[in-house]
Amino acid sequence: MRDLLSPWGELRPQAVTDWQGEIPLPAILANFYAQIGPWGEIVHEKVGPTGLSLNAGGNPVDVPVLKNLWSRQACYRWHGNTGQRLPEWQDHWLVVATEGSNPFMLDTVTGQVYFALAGGKPDFRLFAPDLLTAFAAIACVANTMRDLGELAFDDTYELTAAARAQVTLNLDKLLAGIGDAREMVAAWRWYC
């Protein structure tokens, strides 16, 4: 996992004490931040680390540092302006990454990760069976797109069939029996 994520920024273990949430930090997230620790770079000392930003084509997928994870629940768990709790958001859901404003959500009861397009009532689709598979898959797509570079797109900036095939092939290798690449990119709505 570290090898997949390291091209996208510094990885540094982060202690559970960095958690700013109003609910206990789920063990899977505590382990992820303690062992992998998406740290990123420090653009300004007052702001601190930025977390990772993975360019998977389209909007980057942002994975925040642990101290900022709770604040990233705004506009999903509660209204961003009023702070009022949003009734459609379940207590056991946590946004663990975003693509633009589209959330990757960890269901802390099942351990599964879902993806939804932002706006309106959440329409979550199963993305990965667990947190580590989700982050590994996002990194796999981003790494493949980075390796393809400009060859991923045609003259009109549409994703080429060859790029789509390479992403699917690499994802299938990564998933090796625990998931299906086509289902995963369909749930993500990745270039669909």
Side-chain angles (χ1 to χ4, degrees):
M1 170 66 78
R2 292 183 69 83
D3 291 343
L4 289 169
L5 288 172
S6 64
W8 301 100
E10 183 180 351
L11 303 175
R12 184 185 295 185
Q14 297 162 48
V16 173
T17 55
D18 288 348
W19 174 240
Q20 305 291 314
E22 297 172 3
I23 61 173
L25 181 65
I28 187 67
L29 278 171
N31 290 336
F32 173 74
Y33 279 96
Q35 295 174 14
I36 306 297
W39 188 260
E41 60 182 83
I42 297 177
V43 178
H44 192 280
E45 286 185 32
K46 288 184 179 181
V47 175
T50 59
L52 302 183
S53 188
L54 292 81
N55 187 356
N59 289 322
V61 176
D62 294 319
V63 183
V65 293
L66 182 55
K67 74 173 188 167
N68 295 338
L69 185 61
W70 184 253
S71 66
R72 295 291 178 96
Q73 306 310 301
C75 300
Y76 306 106
R77 182 178 288 271
W78 63 80
H79 191 281
N81 292 329
T82 67
Q84 183 179 3
R85 181 64 194 261
L86 299 175
E88 64 272 5
W89 197 263
Q90 302 294 312
D91 288 339
H92 59 278
W93 292 354
L94 278 175
V95 173
V96 293
T98 53
E99 179 190 48
S101 59
N102 302 322
F104 286 90
M105 178 273 294
L106 171 67
D107 182 321
T108 62
V109 172
T110 67
Q112 297 171 312
V113 175
Y114 293 80
F115 180 79
L117 297 176
K121 191 172 182 176
D123 177 27
F124 285 108
R125 296 185 187 177
L126 180 62
F127 175 69
D130 58 72
L131 184 72
L132 295 180
T133 301
F135 283 132
I138 294 165
C140 176
V141 171
N143 292 338
T144 302
M145 293 298 286
R146 182 198 65 223
D147 292 346
L148 290 169
E150 292 181 18
L151 297 177
F153 302 98
D154 64 19
D155 294 340
T156 63
Y157 209 67
E158 291 293 322
L159 187 69
T160 66
R164 187 181 305 277
Q166 189 63 53
V167 165
T168 303
L169 176 67
N170 290 354
L171 261 181
D172 274 334
K173 286 180 190 176
L174 174 77
L175 297 174
I178 61 170
D180 179 271
R182 284 182 177 80
E183 288 178 11
M184 183 174 273
V185 296
W188 186 357
R189 283 82 146 191
W190 188 82
Y191 285 98
C192 291

